[in-house]
Amino acid sequence: MVTHAHASGSPGFDSSHSLVSGDVRRHNLELVAGHLVEHGPSSRSQIAEGTGLTRGAVTALTRLLVDAGTIREVEPVSAGGKGRPQTLLELAANDVALVILQLDADEATAVVASLAGDVLFRTADHHGRPMGDPEPVLNVLATVLERAVAAAGGMQRRVVDVTVVVFAPVLGDPPVVFGDSDMGWGEVDVLGGLRKRVPGLPGSVSLHSDAGFAAMAEFDLLPGIRDMVYLKSNSGIGGAIILGGRLRTGAHGLAGGFGHLPMDHLGERCVCGQRGCLVLVAGPDVVLKSAGLGEELETAGLGSALRELTDRIARGDARAVESFDAAADWVARALHVLSRTLDPQTVVLGGYWSVLADRIERSFAEHAPVSASPGSYLPTIRAGQLENEATLVGAIRESRKRLLREPLEVRLI
């Protein structure tokens, strides 16, 4: 995950309830809460099996979490004729809410979610994409944030965590957006801008780049995969690297910036200083304008234009097909570079590419080295299962995990 900053403080839980010594007890409580995050409602025996804790330890730990209001018991369910019904446990904390803000090159979105991960409210506004000027964009982002906070209050929920996700690199401490080529930004203090517009931001506040969240959300749907490259296009082109089951961000947090792989060395100069970056030969703006959808992009926004593009391709529109397939060739070449470098088991294509993955896979096969054969180094190419929702799904999941690292304190935040 990219560098983030928090602005919160939480009182400690009464240590007189210690089950075992501090760090071990905290770790075991996190294991129990984490199991419920990953697997949903579970019995005590299922938690014990999934975490490796003893049944007695799970019973004592869940009692603490129930007393703290972090989890609750639900109605017993049938054990399938094998003994008495089992009482399940699920995440509770009905008085708290998580807010996820997503900022891409088209719109600002805010989602209110429960600790259990249920989406309770969603709102979005187009920001008009004023190239180079962050102020109008931050105004729109603040507006959707205020709506989300008001919606949470209307449900009698306290916002305890605000996760801001941007479709751009995030660097530094405190973190800032750095070099967003999609909107022509340089260095922008998004969190500072929000704090000026929404005084007294509630709970913990953090800023992240999008691709890591999206990649981990897709990765969780692929049992048996340990090494994966995630490559997506919706707002620009980005991606992430997962090796050995872990997200790898690199020494400076920039690993996965595949949109700036220099592909055409005689091509147009990119804002990053290189020539012919992948985003300049295969990015959504390039494809849309080549397909004759430049006006749709300007008037209706990026999301609408991309939906129209995929519809035209499905109908066999020659101009749309030709435009996308030309971009797919560049994407395929980039994937061969990544495959030789990282040797992943699979490549997951996200964003709008998820519905056109077969065309990229075909180009990938056509550009394969002569030496490549079945069973060789070539990874499988997969369509992302979550499409454009991957980032929000991953951000909600990570926000929940972050809060539940101190599960007894959720109600005290």
Side-chain angles (χ1 to χ4, degrees):
M1 194 189 320
V2 180
T3 304
H4 59 275
H6 296 285
S8 69
S10 304
F13 193 80
D14 183 358
S15 62
S16 65
H17 292 285
S18 292
L19 174 68
V20 291
S21 61
D23 289 344
V24 174
R25 172 173 166 272
R26 185 182 302 112
H27 172 73
N28 290 344
L29 286 164
E30 185 182 344
L31 284 178
V32 172
H35 180 91
L36 295 176
V37 167
E38 299 297 329
H39 302 284
S42 306
S43 68
R44 288 171 175 82
S45 59
Q46 288 171 328
I47 294 171
E49 182 178 353
T51 61
L53 298 170
T54 66
R55 176 62 187 270
V58 168
T59 298
L61 291 163
T62 55
R63 186 184 303 122
L64 286 174
L65 291 168
V66 169
D67 290 345
T70 306
I71 68 174
R72 65 184 170 212
E73 292 186 341
V74 294
E75 291 296 320
V77 297
S78 170
K82 300 177 182 178
R84 62 184 182 181
Q86 292 183 312
T87 298
L88 299 185
L89 296 160
E90 66 178 8
L91 295 172
N94 290 332
D95 64 336
V96 303
L98 320 174
V99 170
I100 310 297
L101 290 181
Q102 177 176 284
L103 180 64
D104 62 28
D106 195 33
E107 64 182 16
T109 302
V111 168
V112 178
S114 69
L115 189 62
D118 301 317
V119 174
L120 307 173
F121 174 80
R122 181 170 181 157
T123 184
D125 274 352
H126 289 277
H127 52 63
R129 205 178 183 186
M131 295 297 289
D133 186 1
E135 296 303 312
V137 178
L138 294 178
N139 288 340
V140 175
L141 188 63
T143 296
V144 297
L145 171 59
E146 289 173 329
R147 280 190 216 141
V149 172
M155 293 180 274
Q156 287 76 53
R157 289 177 179 264
R158 298 176 296 111
V159 176
V160 296
D161 188 76
V162 177
T163 301
V164 184
V165 187
V166 292
F167 284 51
V170 173
L171 295 173
D173 186 13
V176 296
V177 171
F178 182 81
D180 180 4
S181 57
D182 294 332
M183 288 191 285
W185 288 3
E187 185 176 306
V188 178
D189 182 3
V190 171
L191 295 187
L194 282 177
R195 289 190 177 99
K196 289 178 183 177
R197 291 165 171 80
V198 187
L201 273 179
S204 172
V205 183
S206 57
L207 179 69
H208 308 265
S209 188
D210 67 300
F213 286 142
M216 290 305 298
E218 293 285 3
F219 179 75
D220 287 343
L221 300 177
L222 299 176
I225 297 296
R226 298 286 291 165
D227 303 296
M228 181 186 104
V229 165
Y230 177 73
L231 187 65
K232 61 93 182 180
S233 181
N234 31 29
S235 175
I237 294 175
I241 301 164
I242 296 173
L243 297 177
R246 296 180 60 190
L247 184 67
R248 308 293 177 168
T249 57
H252 305 98
L254 293 174
F258 304 137
H260 292 284
L261 286 176
M263 302 303 300
D264 181 3
H265 299 291
L266 300 177
E268 180 183 344
R269 179 81 67 181
C270 182
V271 294
C272 75
Q274 302 179 111
R275 287 193 178 276
C277 289
L278 184 60
V279 72
L280 294 183
V281 293
D285 290 38
V286 174
V287 177
L288 289 168
K289 290 173 183 176
S290 176
L293 287 166
E295 185 175 347
E296 174 90 4
L297 172 65
E298 294 300 323
T299 57
L302 182 62
S304 175
L306 288 175
R307 286 189 292 273
E308 178 62 23
L309 173 71
T310 55
D311 286 346
R312 291 188 185 186
I313 292 172
R315 297 195 303 266
D317 179 88
R319 187 173 180 183
V321 168
E322 181 180 357
S323 299
F324 183 78
D325 284 351
D329 281 347
W330 287 112
V331 175
R333 290 174 180 144
L335 285 176
H336 278 292
V337 172
L338 295 173
S339 297
R340 285 287 194 182
T341 305
L342 300 171
D343 192 22
Q345 293 168 273
T346 192
V347 171
V348 174
L349 299 172
Y352 91 96
W353 284 351
S354 61
V355 297
L356 298 169
D358 59 330
R359 307 189 78 89
I360 295 175
E361 181 180 20
R362 185 185 314 139
S363 186
F364 183 73
E366 289 171 354
H367 287 87
V370 175
S371 60
S373 60
S376 70
Y377 77 91
L378 293 180
T380 57
I381 307 295
R382 303 171 186 258
Q385 299 179 58
L386 298 171
E387 300 184 10
N388 289 321
E389 294 297 296
T391 296
L392 286 172
V393 170
I396 291 171
R397 173 183 176 275
E398 192 60 31
S399 176
R400 296 161 67 202
K401 287 177 66 177
R402 189 165 59 245
L403 277 176
L404 290 171
R405 286 176 189 139
E406 295 287 350
L408 293 178
E409 298 186 6
V410 169
R411 295 291 294 274
L412 302 175
I413 293 172

